[in-house]
């Protein structure tokens, strides 16, 4: 009779063969007929083998694979702690709510406090601020970096300011040196939304670190088009043990207990502690210190992430190479503003952001329409200008709930004129050449 281990190995070997039949063949690229996606899953048989392997264990919720992923991602990033969650948006939610914990004393963010951010980006960088009851303070961005205009930070500051929370736009780091010094000078928290920038690097005073690790807390997303994927997934990371403990509490229902799944009494006071006004000795596993959530992942998702993480360095290198090829092919077109890396940075590009200059004889929509007709996917810079969206209608009518510093001139320009195309590792040289040739052809014919 075959053993469990022998049966598993047969299943995993069949899984490897299945990958080769179902996914392993290289598809021929036909310009104008084949789709050029802006992003997508980048995987081989290892991800599927890990997925099947973990499913056979039938752990289902977060377990050994999740712990393995958290440990390895923390090591890769160069931080002490990593908390795995079910999406990048949840990671942002957890990161922000972590800073509202009463355990942080006078430094905690309270309802009505202000958080400096930008409107040119993805909504879930800002949503947690509003959902909690704090006030986002929007400042403009700069071109051609498409990130925060740091000269506006002091103007945005008020006696209510408690934090800065913003993203590294499409993988291009914002000016971390200026933002971090601003935060340090005024005793503010810094949350780095690193969801689009996994593997980007930034240097301050000769020290190079990955983005997401310069602030108090960083976040990542593992949605399929992102640098690495587990389908749905995200992470929060920090070097601060208290922030890590609070994040885990908010992720896991708000519980006070920090035992991992399947383990009891790590604290050694499970039935001998006094918590709040509960009876002495109340089971610590059911003591709650925060109004939390349930934002864990399954072990099967984490197993995919473990295989993806092994490819992370190669994925980053491919994205940088694809950016360089696109930039070199388009840099002499005067009608376009191309993305330029922030000084002191080495971006791990998520996308290639282009803006059409005003008065050049064509619009962003005309150019993107041309590309889409050639089956080249394009995307706007997410929300463009967040405060123009229906979600802000009531706040705009009442004039409450957010604050704007100056004019969001460049933000509106990006909303009207900006779009991006992909640089993900699944792109071939033929695809890059087709995108470059198509953009050049359109611009030449409209001069």
């Amino acid at each position: 009779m075959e053993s469990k281990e022998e049966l598993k190995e047969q299943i995993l070997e069949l899984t490897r063969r299945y990958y080769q039949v179902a996914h392993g063949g290289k598809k021929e690229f036909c310009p104008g007929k084949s789709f050029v996606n802006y992003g997508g899953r980048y995987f081989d048989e290892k991800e599927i083998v890990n997925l099947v392997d973990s499913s056979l264990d039938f752990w289902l919720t977060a377990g050994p694979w999740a712990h393995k992923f958290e440990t390895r991602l923390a090591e890769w990033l160069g931080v002490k702690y990593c908390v795995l969650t079910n999406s990048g948006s949840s990671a942002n939610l957890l990161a922000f709510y972590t800073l509202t914990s009463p355990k942080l004393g006078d430094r905690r963010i309270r309802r009505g406090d202000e958080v400096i951010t930008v409107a040119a980006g993805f909504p879930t960088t800002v949503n947690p601020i509003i959902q909690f009851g704090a006030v986002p303070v929007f400042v403009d961005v700069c071109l051609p970096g498409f990130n925060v205009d740091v000269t506006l930070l002091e103007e945005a500051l008020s006696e209510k300011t408690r934090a800065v929370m913003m993203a590294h736009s499409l993988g291009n780091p914002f000016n971390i040196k200026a933002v971090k010094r601003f935060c340090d000078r005024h005793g503010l928290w810094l949350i780095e939304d690193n969801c689009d920038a996994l593997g980007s690097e930034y240097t301050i005073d000769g020290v190079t670190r990955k983005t997401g690790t310069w602030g108090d807390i960083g976040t990542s997303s593992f949605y399929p088009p992102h640098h690495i994927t587990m389908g749905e997934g995200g992470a929060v990371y920090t070097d601060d043990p208290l922030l890590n403990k609070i994040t885990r509490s908010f992720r896991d229902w708000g519980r006070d207990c920090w035992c991992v799944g399947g383990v009891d009494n790590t604290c050694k006071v499970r039935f001998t502690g006094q918590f709040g006004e509960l009876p002495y000795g109340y089971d610590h596993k059911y003591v709650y210190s925060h109004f939390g959530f349930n934002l864990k992942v399954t072990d099967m998702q984490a197993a995919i992430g473990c295989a993806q993480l092994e490819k992370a360095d190669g994925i980053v290198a491919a994205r940088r190479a694809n950016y360089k090829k696109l930039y070199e092919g388009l840099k002499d077109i005067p009608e376009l503003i191309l993305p330029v890396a922030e000084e002191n940075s080495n971006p791990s590009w998520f996308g290639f952001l282009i803006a059409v200059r005003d008065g050049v004889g064509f619009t962003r929509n005309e150019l993107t329409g041309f590309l889409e007709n050639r089956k080249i996917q394009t995307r706007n810079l997410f929300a463009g200008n967040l405060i123009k969206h229906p979600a802000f209608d009531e706040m705009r009518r009442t004039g409450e709930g957010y604050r704007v510093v100056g004019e969001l001139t460049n933000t509106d320009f990006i909303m009207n004129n900006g779009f991006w195309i992909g640089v993900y590792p699944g792109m071939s040289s033929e695809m890059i050449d087709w995108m470059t040739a198509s953009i050049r052809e359109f611009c030449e014919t409209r001069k």
Side-chain angles (χ1 to χ4, degrees):
M1 183 176 180
E2 293 173 303
S3 67
K4 179 178 72 174
E5 290 74 19
E6 290 172 329
L7 282 172
K8 175 182 272 193
E9 186 48 48
Q10 290 178 38
I11 292 168
L12 298 184
E13 178 56 34
L14 284 171
T15 301
R16 295 182 188 96
R17 289 166 55 187
Y18 177 84
Y19 165 82
Q20 293 298 331
V21 173
H23 304 287
K26 186 177 180 180
K27 297 179 181 178
E28 182 180 356
F29 176 69
C30 182
K33 295 183 179 179
S34 303
F35 276 102
V36 181
N37 298 320
Y38 78 91
R41 304 165 301 169
Y42 183 74
F43 66 101
D44 58 27
E45 72 277 2
K46 292 181 181 178
E47 282 79 358
I48 300 180
V49 167
N50 276 14
L51 174 62
V52 173
D53 191 351
S54 63
S55 71
L56 294 174
D57 292 336
F58 211 64
W59 191 287
L60 298 184
T61 188
W65 284 101
H67 177 70
K68 184 185 299 185
F69 181 88
E70 289 176 337
T71 302
R72 291 180 179 178
L73 180 62
E75 291 173 352
W76 189 80
L77 289 167
V79 294
K80 293 178 182 177
Y81 308 104
C82 172
V83 179
L84 187 56
T85 185
N86 61 358
S87 73
S89 297
S90 293
N92 282 340
L93 183 72
L94 287 172
F96 184 81
Y97 269 73
T98 292
L99 302 183
T100 70
S101 171
K103 293 181 181 293
L104 298 176
D106 291 340
R107 286 203 70 195
R108 66 179 289 199
I109 298 173
R110 300 174 185 269
R111 288 172 179 82
D113 285 342
E114 294 183 346
V115 180
I116 298 172
T117 187
V118 299
F122 199 75
T124 54
T125 308
V126 174
N127 289 355
I129 303 170
I130 298 170
Q131 289 160 344
F132 174 74
V135 178
V137 178
F138 295 107
V139 298
D140 206 2
V141 297
C142 289
L143 303 175
F146 302 96
N147 276 311
V148 59
D149 182 348
V150 296
T151 66
L152 298 172
L153 292 175
E154 291 290 344
E155 187 180 348
L157 185 71
S158 80
E159 61 182 15
K160 295 182 177 180
T161 308
R162 295 293 178 269
V164 173
M165 182 174 182
M166 57 186 63
H168 302 293
S169 186
L170 291 183
N172 193 14
F174 55 72
N175 186 340
I176 300 177
K177 183 176 182 179
V179 173
K180 183 170 172 55
R181 286 184 176 177
F182 169 77
C183 290
D184 291 344
R185 185 162 59 248
H186 298 290
L188 308 177
W189 298 106
L190 174 56
I191 305 174
E192 291 179 74
D193 180 341
N194 201 45
C195 290
D196 290 351
L198 189 70
S200 291
E201 296 172 327
Y202 191 89
T203 302
I204 299 178
D205 299 331
V207 177
T208 300
R209 296 173 61 177
K210 288 184 171 67
T211 55
T213 70
W214 283 104
D216 296 286
I217 197 163
T219 63
S220 280
S221 170
F222 308 127
Y223 193 64
H226 285 248
H227 291 68
I228 65 173
T229 185
M230 52 181 67
E232 298 284 357
V236 181
Y237 32 91
T238 183
D239 277 324
D240 188 308
L242 178 57
L243 295 183
N244 173 63
K245 184 178 179 180
I246 295 169
T247 300
R248 289 186 180 277
S249 173
F250 270 110
R251 184 195 64 176
D252 299 353
W253 308 285
R255 65 179 187 162
D256 197 72
C257 174
W258 58 87
C259 292
V260 298
V263 177
D264 294 338
N265 207 27
T266 303
C267 62
K268 307 302 181 186
V269 291
R270 182 179 173 191
F271 298 111
T272 57
Q274 179 66 61
F275 305 101
E277 296 185 2
L278 291 167
Y280 174 79
Y282 197 84
D283 188 349
H284 191 218
K285 289 183 73 69
Y286 294 95
V287 173
Y288 301 93
S289 51
H290 298 101
F291 298 105
F293 313 94
N294 178 10
L295 300 174
K296 299 188 297 300
V297 298
T298 68
D299 227 34
M300 292 176 284
Q301 290 170 271
I304 297 170
C306 286
Q308 286 275 286
L309 195 52
E310 294 177 4
K311 299 177 173 65
D313 290 330
I315 287 171
V316 171
R319 286 180 173 274
R320 287 172 177 160
N322 288 343
Y323 161 84
K324 184 177 181 180
K325 189 174 177 65
L326 275 172
Y327 187 86
E328 291 299 319
L330 300 172
K331 66 181 181 181
D332 62 336
I333 301 177
E335 294 86 357
L336 305 179
I337 300 173
L338 304 184
V340 176
E342 174 67 32
E343 186 179 0
N344 301 315
S345 78
N346 186 14
S348 172
W349 297 95
F350 182 54
F352 192 90
L353 184 56
I354 299 171
V356 177
R357 297 183 188 274
D358 287 328
V360 296
F362 61 87
T363 66
R364 184 267 312 278
N365 286 356
E366 288 172 333
L367 175 50
T368 56
F370 178 83
L371 296 177
E372 294 281 351
N373 284 335
R374 290 194 166 193
K375 300 189 182 299
I376 297 170
Q377 275 192 329
T378 65
R379 290 290 186 270
N380 291 353
L381 184 58
F382 307 125
N385 183 343
L386 275 169
I387 65 174
K388 303 284 189 181
H389 286 259
F392 278 79
D393 283 352
E394 184 175 352
M395 284 192 253
R396 282 198 305 273
R397 284 194 297 267
T398 62
E400 298 176 347
Y402 69 95
R403 188 160 65 85
V404 177
V405 175
E407 301 292 331
L408 301 182
T409 305
N410 286 334
T411 301
D412 285 339
F413 175 80
I414 294 168
M415 176 181 65
N416 292 312
N417 296 50
F419 73 98
W420 58 279
I421 53 179
V423 294
Y424 85 107
M427 285 187 163
S428 63
S429 293
E430 293 82 5
M431 292 176 182
I432 300 285
D433 290 341
W434 175 239
M435 290 194 295
T436 302
S438 296
I439 293 171
R440 295 189 68 88
E441 178 183 333
F442 178 87
C443 293
E444 286 294 328
T445 59
R446 293 302 184 99
K447 279 187 178 180

